[in-house]
Amino acid sequence: MKKILKQRLGWLIFVVLLATLPALNLSAALPDAALNLKLTAPINTWDEAVPLGNGLMGGLLWGKNNLVRLSLDRGDLWDDRPAVEKEWWKKETWIKGGDWDAPYDGSTPTKLPAGRLEIQLDPAQQIQSFELNLATAEGSAHFTNGASLTAFFSAVKPVALLRIPGAEPKSLTLIPSGAKKSGGDTGPSSGGAVSKLGYPPATRGSEGNAQWYVQTAAEGFKYCACVETKRVGAETLVAVAVTSTTDGVDVLGIARQRCADALKQGYAKALKPHVGWWQDFWSQSDLHIPEPDIERQYYLVRYFYGAASRRGAPPMPLQGVWTADNGGLPPWKGDYHNDLNTQMTYMGYQEAGNFDEGLSFLDLLWNLTPKFQAFAKDFYGTDGLATPGVMSLTGQPLAGWGQYSLSPTMSAWNAHLFYLHWCYTMDDTFLRDRAYPWCSEVGKCMMGLLKPDKDGVLKLLRSSSPEFFDNSDRAWLEPNSNFDLQCLKMLFLSLAEMADAQGKTGEAKTWAAAAAALGDFHADDQGQLMLDAKTEVPYSHRHLSSLMALYPFNLITCDGSDLDRQRIRASLAQWGKLGTGAWCGYSFSWMSCMQARVGDAEAALRNLDIFVKAFILRNGFHANGDQTKSGFSGFTYRPFTLEGNFLAMQAVQEMLLQSWSPTPGQNDTGSIRIFPATPWRWHDASFDDLRAEGGWRVSARRQNNATTWFKITATHKGLLRIRDNFDGRTPKWNRSGVKKVGDHFEIVLKAGQSLEATLDKPATIPPAPENLAVPVEIKKVSARN
C-alpha cells in the first residue's frame, strides 16, 4: 500500500511540475506570420523573387511599379542530349584514364527554364511590397492602395492560380524561356537560352481569354506554358499551367484543360485543399529559437522542401524548381551534382519528419538503378551500380572535372541517404525492398574496384578529394584519399548494420570485414586529417572533403577514443588556421553542422550566423559568394544553389537534437542527445516532434540554458537511450523502469508509448563561455537591386 501511495504521490508531483512550465505547444503549429518572407518593392531580378512551387512546377513572383512578373519552371524540363557522341564513357575506362572535361563543355545536357508571365496591372495598382505566407504557401504583391494580388501553386493539382482585385489587368504576356526582343519588334520572340540549343521558335497561340506557347525541344520532347483569365465580380482570376510530353502527347490540350478546371473551381475552393496539404506538412514538427534571422531562414528552407521536392516529381537539382530566368541557361546547367550538392540538399528532411519530400531523390536513384548498373559495367568494368558524380535527370553522366565528376565513391555518399532514411523511419519494408538492395549494389561495385595492396589494405586504382587542385593532374591523390576512405568505410559499416537488422549474419560479417580492411584514416603526428597518406590540406578550400568522418558520417566522434578527440581538435584547428578565404556559402553552413556534431555550440552558431547574414540573397536563396563583401570569403559572386540553405536548416537541428551512433555498423548503440550543442545566447528554446535515429519523435523545452522538459515517443518497439547531459539534475519520469546505464538513461518502449520527464529549472542563466559567439554585424552591405 505504501508503494502504491508513493507512486501516486510521485505522479502527482510530476503533474504539478508540468503545470508550472510555460504553456506547452505539444503539437506542431503553423509558422507564425512573423516568419513570413517580406520584401520591399521593387524586385528587379529573378533570384530575389518570392519562391512558389508544388514540387513539379515552380514560380518566382517579382516586379515593380504596376508590372508583376512570374518566372515559370517545371522539374522535368531537360534537354538530355550529350555534348559529344552518345555513350562517350565507353571509349575511356577507369583504368586507362582520360580527359573527361570535354563532354561538359557543350550547352547540353541542361535543365531548361519554362519562361515567364508578365502582368501589366492598372496604373492605380502600384506594388509596394511582396510577401510569402509560409503557413499557406501563398505569395502576395501588396499594392499602395491596400489591396493585394495573391498567388499559389496548388499542392494537390499541377496548376497555379492568381487572384487580382480591382480593375482588369492592362495586359498579360507569356514570354518563352530566354526570349528577347529584337530591334523594332513590339512583341517577344524566341531567343536567348533557346537560341543556343537550336530549337525552332516557340509556337504561340490564343483563343478567347487563353494564350499559350508550345516549345519543341530535342528528341521529341515538347513543353507548353498556358495562361487563361476569368473575371469574377471585382476580381480577375488567372490560371497558369506548364505541361510537357511527360504528361501526354497533347501538351497544349492538357494545359488548357488544367487552366479551365482551375478557373471553374475558383480561387477559394482550390485554395482549401492546398492549405490542408501545407497544414499537414507543417504539422510534422516545429521549433523555436531566440534568433530571428536564423529562425526565419530555418522555416523558409523547410518550406523549400514542400515547394520544390515532392514524391512523384523530379527531385531538386542545383536550383530546384527555380531555374534561372535571365535569358540564358542556368549555372552549371542546373544539373545534379553528386559531389556534395544533392547529398546536402537532402540532409535536413529526416529530422524535420518530411519523409515524402526526401523520398523524391531516393525514388529517382532507385528508378535509375538499371542505368547506374550499366554505367558501372561500361565505365568501371564492375558489377553493381555507380551514380555519376555529375548527371542529368535521366542519370546520364555529364562529366566535368574527372576527379570528382566520375569518382566512384560519390555512389557511396548517395547510399548514405538510403541508410539515413531507414535509421530515422525504422521502416523494415523500406530497408528490405529499397535501402539494403540499392546500397548492396553500390557495395558490389566498390568491392569490384578495390584491390588489396601488399599489406592487405583495400585500395582504389584512382583517388581524389572533391575539387582539391581543381582539374590538374595533382588532383589525383594517392589511393585511398581520406574522402574516398571515409565514404567507403561508412558504406560498408551501414551495410553491415542493415544486414544484421534483417538477420543476414553472414553478409553483415562480410561487410564489416571489408570496412576493417580499408585501414585507418590518414592523419599526421598532431592528429590533423590529411587529404591522403602524404598530402596535408594545403590551403583554405570550399569543400570540407577530408572531414567527412566528422560530419555527415560519425566515424570519428567526441564519444570515441582519445585519438578520435585529438583528431577532431587538431583537424578543426587546422582548418581554422587556413581561414575561410576560399569558402563558399555552403562551407559555412556545413562547418556549422560539423561543429555542432562535435559539441562546439558557439563555433557552430558563429558560422551559421555568418551564412545567414552574408551568403543569402534577400529572398533567402543561398548565393555562393559573400554578398556583403565583408571579407568572410574571397568569393563575392552570386550564383544561386540550394545545398547551402539545407545545410543551414540541418545545422539548427543539430544544435537542438542529435541521435547518431558512435559505433556505426552496430545496432542499438544510438543515443538521443537533447540540446547537445545549443549556444549560450539561446537561453530559451523548444522543439516539437523532431525525429531521431531509431524512429523516435522527440519534443523538448530549454529554459535558462537547461533542459526542463522532454517527451520521446516510440514509433516501433526498441531500446531508448538518452544521454545524461543534464548537469547533475535528476529527471522526474512519467513511468517506471528507466535505468541509468553509464552516462545514459535506458528503457524499452513499445510502439506508441512515450517517456516524459521534467527537470528543475535553474534559478539563473549561467555565465557566458569564454568563446561566446557574439552576433555578427555587417558593416558594409552591397547595393541591392
Side-chain angles (χ1 to χ4, degrees), residues 621-645:
F621 282 167
H622 159 237
N624 281 249
D626 177 1
Q627 299 306 293
T628 67
K629 297 180 172 61
S630 298
F632 296 118
S633 171
F635 291 114
T636 58
Y637 61 164
R638 61 180 284 158
F640 143 57
T641 57
L642 283 167
E643 73 292 324
N645 290 121

Side-chain angles (χ1 to χ4, degrees), residues 293-438:
D293 291 338
I294 294 175
E295 188 176 49
R296 279 193 296 269
Q297 173 71 184
Y298 175 86
Y299 273 94
L300 177 65
V301 177
R302 189 164 162 220
Y303 161 84
F304 290 167
Y305 273 126
S309 188
R310 195 75 57 81
R311 198 165 196 191
M316 291 178 281
L318 292 177
Q319 296 173 312
V321 290
W322 301 300
T323 301
D325 181 19
N326 57 6
L329 296 173
W332 300 294
K333 306 183 180 186
D335 58 29
Y336 291 94
H337 259 59
N338 292 318
D339 78 319
L340 176 151
N341 306 80
T342 54
Q343 292 94 335
M344 294 310 197
T345 293
Y346 284 96
M347 278 297 291
Y349 79 85
Q350 300 93 341
E351 201 159 339
N354 296 122
F355 294 112
D356 275 356
E357 287 66 42
L359 282 169
S360 173
F361 184 50
L362 299 186
D363 285 348
L364 176 74
L365 294 177
W366 174 263
N367 293 335
L368 290 175
T369 294
K371 282 203 170 184
F372 295 153
Q373 288 171 328
F375 180 64
K377 178 70 70 176
D378 294 339
F379 189 76
Y380 298 117
T382 69
D383 293 330
L385 70 81
T387 59
V390 180
M391 69 183 195
S392 70
L393 177 62
T394 63
Q396 180 182 172
L398 270 64
W401 294 354
Q403 296 86 351
Y404 76 85
S405 71
L406 294 167
S407 167
T409 54
M410 302 306 172
S411 312
W413 195 352
N414 275 337
H416 189 61
L417 294 176
F418 280 90
Y419 168 71
L420 284 180
H421 191 92
W422 168 67
C423 286
Y424 277 89
T425 63
M426 286 287 104
D427 184 336
D428 291 337
T429 301
F430 178 81
L431 170 64
R432 182 190 67 236
D433 295 346
R434 290 282 177 103
Y436 187 69
W438 200 89

